Amino acid sequence: MLSATSIAARVRSGEFDPQDVTEEAIARLQERDLEVHAYLDPDIERARQLADRVAETLRRGDDPGRLAGVPISLKDNMAVHGATLTAGSKILEGYRAPYDSFVAQRLIAEGAVLLGRTNLDEFAMGASTENSAYGPTRNPWDTDRVPGGSSGGSAAAVAAGIVPVALGSETGGSIRQPAALCGITGFKPTFGSVSRRGLVAFGSSLDVIGPLAAHAQDAALVYDVIAGHDPADATTWTGTRPSATTEKADLEGLRIGIPEEFLDEAVDSRVLESVSTAIKTLEEGGAITKVIPKGALPSMHHSIPVYYLVACSEASSNLARFDGMHFGPTSESKDTLDLLARYCATRADLFGPEVRRRIALGTFALSAGYADAWYKKSLSVRRLILNEFTALFGDYDLLAGPTSPFGAFKIGERSQDAYSMYLCDLLTAPACLAGLPSVSVPCGLARKGTYKGLPVGLSLTGPAGQDHRVLAAARAFEAIRGTPERSPIHGDDA
Ligand code: GLN
């Protein structure tokens, strides 16, 4: 499949017809999604309408935008006016969004053709997409395996070659981890670079929207389109963001540190092997790399407990609005007019087990008498993690390491053991807690072992606000390594 960058260029020049491009993407979706189940709603009519709009703009001789005719899919926790918005949950089954999210507005304004909404772990809680109430998504590299999560539908849609770019959201790793497991690029912007308006809230101090793409250049292009201040989201910072597309893609002289904490013993040895080859590639490009001895990020090993306390606390509050009255269906299991009983029945019946577990944990962590010991304490450690990263960025431009401790695991392998699933976030949660921009780029396939032949991701993390530099480094890395390997379902169609 062509990159978004070249599709847009050819549609703009008149070489490609946006309606043809859209029909081809629809045909790929209809054929390939039978195997991967990346989509909850393909929403084909909307795609056709948007393609007609681009064609009409071109006929008038007006500028169709930077993403003219590019098919892009959104994770089903981002509002698209009039479209279903389930967040992967039964509690929002049939609910339709009353307005467009900020990111949908931005994409449409630049001529993108929104094609469907993708599967996710319920309310973005998970790392395998198995927590979706609508069934799991499968990894296009091996359909017995998970695509990662929670943006597993978006990652699988791109890795299967259905669309060149999809949007995901990340709270603790949900863009980068599925990108790594599916062999594509995934970028988590600095917290507050991109507006959360119209994103179903999970952990409001952590949630960020970002692109998953087959090519780093496309992740940069889509980032440029969706990043920006939004008066309706007070956590977006004001001012313009430097362009990630035009920033020089050059590794020459870049100081890249590899903290030993990222090479934890939990990381699979074959994953580490691919990552060390990737470090050599960075050096070939002129980067100066150095392993930073253990001790520079002493609080990092608290990341998982701190992340789960903060994220669940915020989730318990954010999800209080789902009561069966304001949004979505009401459970009919209790034949009663008692309002409280109806709330309880709806929440007990229509939230899945992982969501209920997190609401219980978060409610406990925020409750009187425990909030100081759990919630406030975790905020203090979160600050320490941020301070330790900030100190490292005095000496290094970027930090590198594996994105995920392991490759794509088998469906069912971790789903019965919440803690082993939480370990998936070992290497991604720290940058989320610190609000830093971080990208996962494909760095080859594991050569041996459990994950043989499956993709491995290299993570590059930068200081807050340096999104353009992180993406430029990803572009430079891909330029040296060459086009990333493609999944068997993707094949090598042009
Ligand atoms: N796997 C993490 C969790 O389950 C991260 C999810 C996310 O980033 N949305 O919470």
Side-chain angles (χ1 to χ4, degrees):
M1 185 186 36
L2 289 172
S3 68
T5 308
S6 52
I7 293 174
R10 293 182 198 199
V11 167
R12 291 169 64 88
S13 72
E15 187 188 336
F16 281 179
D17 177 331
Q19 286 145 319
D20 290 348
V21 173
T22 303
E23 289 307 322
E24 284 164 21
I26 292 169
R28 290 193 300 263
L29 188 158
Q30 286 173 333
E31 184 199 327
R32 300 180 190 181
D33 203 42
L34 297 173
E35 279 181 83
V36 289
H37 185 46
Y39 288 84
L40 290 179
D41 179 3
D43 205 1
I44 286 165
E45 275 322 301
R46 180 180 312 270
R48 289 190 171 130
Q49 279 164 13
L50 288 168
D52 292 348
R53 229 177 86 160
V54 176
E56 181 52 37
T57 308
L58 283 161
R59 262 196 298 278
R60 279 200 313 267
D62 292 339
D63 184 348
R66 286 178 284 174
L67 293 170
V70 177
I72 299 186
S73 303
L74 265 53
K75 183 176 180 177
D76 200 27
N77 60 354
M78 294 169 208
V80 177
H81 190 189
T84 52
L85 177 64
T86 66
S89 181
K90 290 281 176 203
I91 213 162
L92 280 175
E93 192 165 19
Y95 174 73
R96 286 184 185 268
Y99 61 89
D100 272 330
S101 51
F102 180 87
V103 290
Q105 276 176 357
R106 282 274 178 111
L107 293 175
I108 293 170
E110 291 294 340
V113 171
L114 303 190
L115 175 60
R117 284 166 315 284
T118 58
N119 200 8
L120 67 156
D121 286 297
E122 185 174 0
F123 286 102
M125 297 175 180
S128 67
T129 317
E130 290 165 292
N131 292 339
S132 167
Y134 302 97
T137 293
R138 293 169 181 277
N139 191 315
W141 288 84
D142 175 350
T143 51
D144 289 335
R145 293 177 185 265
V146 304
S150 63
S151 312
S154 288
V158 173
I162 296 169
V163 284
V165 195
L167 292 189
S169 67
E170 174 156 328
T171 309
S174 282
I175 293 174
R176 291 171 291 153
Q177 185 258 13
L181 270 50
C182 287
I184 59 170
T185 296
F187 177 60
K188 180 198 94 72
T190 301
F191 180 77
S193 284
V194 179
S195 170
R196 292 177 291 117
R197 171 156 49 105
L199 171 71
V200 178
F202 168 7
S204 305
S205 75
L206 296 153
D207 296 342
V208 192
I209 296 175
L212 293 106
H215 295 277
Q217 177 71 23
D218 288 353
L221 175 60
V222 169
Y223 167 79
D224 279 357
V225 168
I226 62 173
H229 174 63
D230 176 8
D233 175 357
T235 59
T236 52
W237 25 281
T238 52
T240 51
R241 281 79 172 136
S243 164
T245 318
T246 53
E247 178 75 15
K248 194 157 181 270
D250 193 356
L251 296 168
E252 192 61 48
L254 221 54
R255 298 164 304 164
I256 302 185
I258 303 122
E260 254 177 2
E261 283 85 352
F262 288 2
L263 312 174
D264 189 275
E265 64 213 20
V267 182
D268 180 84
S269 63
R270 301 298 170 183
V271 167
L272 283 180
E273 193 176 80
S274 300
V275 169
S276 34
T277 311
I279 306 282
K280 292 204 189 82
T281 309
L282 293 169
E283 286 166 0
E284 274 166 41
I288 305 152
T289 69
K290 184 170 176 264
V291 174
I292 308 167
K294 216 175 186 108
L297 291 171
S299 306
M300 191 181 127
H301 72 280
H302 296 304
S303 296
I304 297 274
V306 167
Y307 165 74
Y308 278 92
L309 280 163
V310 174
C312 294
S313 297
E314 295 182 8
S316 73
S317 164
N318 276 326
L319 271 57
R321 73 190 68 166
F322 299 108
D323 55 13
M325 299 293 154
H326 293 90
F327 313 93
T330 305
S331 169
E332 301 297 335
S333 70
K334 277 227 163 49
D335 186 19
T336 168
L337 289 177
D338 179 67
L339 189 61
L340 199 60
R342 287 301 279 265
Y343 285 168
C344 293
T346 297
R347 290 169 64 85
D349 295 346
L350 303 181
F351 277 139
E354 182 62 25
V355 175
R356 294 203 307 274
R357 179 175 15 241
R358 293 190 189 206
I359 291 172
L361 177 68
T363 307
F364 171 76
L366 290 178
S367 57
Y370 294 101
D372 284 349
W374 297 107
Y375 182 63
K376 291 205 182 129
K377 186 72 166 267
S378 45
L379 292 186
S380 310
V381 183
R382 179 178 186 181
R383 167 59 66 167
L384 290 179
I385 293 171
L386 169 60
N387 292 349
E388 291 162 13
F389 272 114
T390 308
L392 275 182
F393 287 125
D395 295 327
Y396 299 95
D397 301 304
L398 294 174
L399 300 176
T403 304
S404 162
F406 24 75
F409 43 95
K410 288 257 168 72
I411 292 178
E413 193 178 319
R414 290 173 186 267
S415 51
Q416 297 313 313
D417 176 0
Y419 191 69
S420 92
M421 194 67 93
Y422 295 174
L423 269 185
C424 297
D425 309 312
L426 187 69
L427 304 170
T428 46
C432 291
L433 290 167
L436 305 174
S438 185
V439 70
S440 178
V441 282
C443 67
L445 311 180
R447 291 196 303 124
K448 285 189 182 145
T450 326
Y451 306 108
K452 186 172 175 215
L454 295 169
V456 176
L458 168 77
S459 148
L460 296 169
T461 304
Q466 301 292 312
D467 304 39
H468 55 297
R469 299 230 164 90
V470 172
L471 281 164
R475 286 165 44 218
F477 178 79
E478 186 180 305
I480 302 172
R481 240 199 114 242
T483 303
E485 297 80 357
R486 285 167 166 176
S487 76
I489 292 185
H490 184 305
D492 35 43
D493 55 351

